[in-house]
Amino acid sequence: MKERILLIICALGILTTSCSDFLDSKSQDEVIPKTTKDFSELLLGSGYPSPINSHPLALTGYMDDDVDSDLRNSMAGSDLAKGVFPVFTWQSDAERYEGSIMSPELASTPYYLMYERIKGCNAVLDYIDEAIGTQQEINHIKAEALSVRALLYFWLVNLYGEPYTENPQAAGVPLKLSSSVEEVSVPRVTVERVYERILDDLTEAADLFGTESRVTTDFRINRPTVEILLSRVYLYTGKWKEAVESATEAIRIGGKLADLTAIEKNGAFACVRYSSPEVTWMYGGEGMGFYVENGLNMAKELEEGYGANDRRVDLYYAYDELRGHYYLQKTGTSASGDLGDAPKQAIRLSEAYLNRAEAYVLWDNKVTEALKDLNELRRNRIEGYSDVSISDPVLLLEEIRKERRLELAREGHRWLDLRRYGMPSIKHTWLPGEGLTLQTFVLKAKDPMYTLPLPESVLGVNPALTQNASANTPERKAE
């Protein structure tokens, strides 16, 4: 067993990524995980999303309708702005630029980075049953690995597979479920099959976690988070009843909504911190802020969606008066307050309320129940809020989805939501340089670029893969 696991560790390259002391030992024998503690550290270092990389969906923050050109920004036409142009205008060769957006340090595509993390999860799952430790410890580590693997596959299939709501039988992504390195050619399975695997992993993880409630002592995934993820996946696949049940369980055990109306103006607050009662899990690296260097800013539609008394405006964002620019404050910190290599993203209980509200309406026009969730969230976000009463399910669904956009902005949801809403048309304005004519680029309804091309580098090493239609779309020009 020692020799096999050592080979796996070397193949994964985890010796440079783990934060565990046991992987830093000089003796070769000491790098071989034996105990449950060893495997736990192995998973943290090579399976969990890395805190030194950007969010796996970072590039979608340049593609959705929450971002647009900042015409007040002198960075228009700069080299930095030009660097995001292919992604911002949905060019078919955008995948060439994924690396620089995703992780300037590693220059790797989201596809590559997520499969590397899946390898880490698989290595733990393959050998954890033989580890030295209690059965409870083994079950807990297994639950973590299954949960993280499921989330990674969820992100992958939503980048490189067609939306489940459009064509569940379309090509998804390869399912790699073991740490063996013999296989080179692994074909894509259907989108539906990937989702089935995701649900299998999350369901098993929930069972293995048992009765665990919210955990705020570490950065490890836990059962409340798994229940939120289950409600999300059920929502994406049209399983409304199950989405309601999982969201309800998450709310029961996951904490409570943070009352933003009780926080002073300019008060110390970070929604991505365990001190927030609604954060169930912190993970990964930098998110999808609005960066002045790229000449981009918050889209007017998003900005105007927040009302005058909405506390999310001053607590989720900071405004630069000089540049007229918004900066995102949804950034995590470590317990000591240092940003460092601490996880900077979070899954929050507010998503469970939104998932449940939407599922209630779509399940059986359960307007009363959905309204209760919508009003509960808004009461904790808007000063002086008075409950709304909406009897039309269609109008209520619109309000819930509007609230989802406002609440979860720049957290990796919007692009994926647009896909499952039917892939509507989007417009981005682009200023090539100061004094030049403003250009408009259009992503048409159900455009092939709603499903990203597979990276060419991946196609070269896996001949079993087939490319997406978006790779063959012509250059997108201004209208």
Side-chain angles (χ1 to χ4, degrees), residues 14-24 37 40-46 48 51 117 219-220 341:
I14 64 173
L15 296 179
T16 60
T17 60
S18 176
C19 60
S20 167
D21 289 338
F22 90 92
L23 289 179
D24 293 333
K37 182 179 184 297
S40 180
E41 296 295 342
L42 171 61
L43 179 62
L44 185 64
S46 63
Y48 275 86
R117 294 284 151 172
F219 297 115
R220 297 178 183 275
D341 289 338

Side-chain angles (χ1 to χ4, degrees), residues 82-127:
K82 291 175 182 177
V84 302
F85 175 83
V87 179
F88 183 70
T89 59
W90 312 287
Q91 302 296 335
S92 61
D93 63 347
E95 66 91 5
R96 298 181 186 177
Y97 300 85
E98 289 178 11
S100 60
I101 292 173
M102 177 69 187
S103 175
E105 296 83 7
L106 300 178
S108 297
T109 66
Y111 186 100
Y112 172 82
L113 290 174
M114 283 191 275
Y115 271 108
E116 283 298 296
R117 294 284 151 172
I118 287 171
K119 284 182 184 178
C121 293
N122 287 340
V124 170
L125 290 169
D126 281 351
Y127 297 98

Side-chain angles (χ1 to χ4, degrees), residues 64-68 297-306 402 405-406 414 418 425-427:
D64 63 30
D65 58 351
D66 283 347
V67 66
D68 207 349
N297 202 350
M298 184 189 302
K300 277 294 181 184
E301 187 179 52
L302 175 61
E303 181 181 347
E304 294 171 356
Y306 297 103
K402 172 187 174 182
R405 182 182 187 184
L406 300 175
R414 184 59 181 172
L418 290 171
S425 179
I426 302 175
K427 290 184 179 181

Side-chain angles (χ1 to χ4, degrees), residues 48 136-137 139-141 143-144 147 205-218 220-227 249-250 252-255 280-281:
Y48 275 86
Q136 182 179 4
E137 291 169 341
N139 288 347
H140 199 281
I141 295 167
E144 288 183 48
S147 305
D207 291 339
L208 289 169
F209 275 130
T211 59
E212 180 181 278
S213 58
R214 183 171 178 259
V215 179
T216 60
T217 56
D218 56 28
R220 297 178 183 275
I221 201 165
N222 47 55
R223 184 166 162 246
T225 303
V226 169
E227 295 294 346
E249 183 64 5
R252 186 182 73 82
I253 63 175
T280 63
W281 178 46

